Amino acid sequence: TQHVLVPRHEVLSPEDKKRRAIVKKLTAIDQLKVKKAAGEKLELTQHKKLESEAELRKELAALGGK
């Protein structure tokens, strides 16, 4: 029989998971900024997401992110 090596899933600390989630949200915000700059009309929920940018950046800095 042959043994198949299965890559182990990365084990992330709660802080790493939170950091990753915040980075994902900030990436989405950057994409929304591009759409807005291109003249696309944003939905109310998208405007609320844009408004959360400063708080997310504070959280990320507190977690030691960039």
Side-chain angles (χ1 to χ4, degrees):
T1 59
Q2 289 183 327
H3 294 284
V4 178
L5 295 178
V6 178
R8 290 183 358 178
H9 290 290
E10 207 175 328
V11 179
L12 297 175
S13 71
E15 292 82 13
D16 286 338
K17 287 181 182 179
K18 179 110 174 135
R19 192 177 299 115
R20 183 178 280 182
I22 293 171
V23 168
K24 186 175 179 181
K25 289 177 185 178
L26 289 171
T27 300
I29 287 171
D30 287 341
Q31 291 170 347
L32 288 175
K33 285 179 172 179
V34 170
K35 286 182 178 185
K36 187 176 178 182
E40 280 191 48
K41 185 167 172 54
L42 301 182
E43 295 179 15
L44 181 61
T45 55
Q46 293 171 317
H47 282 288
K48 288 187 182 295
K49 193 176 279 191
L50 287 175
E51 291 170 6
S52 70
E53 181 181 14
E55 188 60 35
L56 287 169
R57 292 202 183 279
K58 282 184 199 173
E59 283 184 53
L60 186 59
L63 289 170
K66 295 178 184 174

